[in-house]
Amino acid sequence: MLRSRRAFGLAARLGHPNIVAALEASEDRNVQFLTMEFVEGNDLDALVREVGPLPIKTSLHCIIQA
């Protein structure tokens, strides 16, 4: 649990438009969990399913953001 708390502490300090904010880390009935902000929109998997393989330039842009 100490390692998880340390990781959460680091994640909570990150602030960047391409990083989802970590809001809370806790434990319930011996199960650790992390609560993160909700971000409206599609994920990369949904995009590829919808439009098919992405052009190289778009793919690189997504990889750089990740």
Side-chain angles (χ1 to χ4, degrees):
M1 182 71 168
L2 178 60
R3 194 163 123 201
S4 298
R5 287 185 193 273
R6 197 172 18 233
F8 174 74
L10 292 171
R13 284 185 255 158
L14 293 174
H16 190 277
N18 294 341
I19 299 175
V20 176
L23 304 175
E24 177 188 8
S26 192
E27 185 175 332
D28 182 33
R29 293 174 283 208
N30 270 349
V31 176
Q32 297 176 15
F33 64 89
L34 177 64
T35 305
M36 302 170 76
E37 73 174 314
F38 176 76
V39 178
E40 189 76 43
N42 291 335
D43 59 29
L44 186 55
D45 181 55
L47 177 63
V48 172
R49 287 175 194 247
E50 184 179 318
V51 301
L54 301 176
I56 295 294
K57 186 174 180 178
T58 305
S59 298
L60 291 173
H61 182 71
C62 291
I63 291 168
I64 290 167
Q65 288 184 64

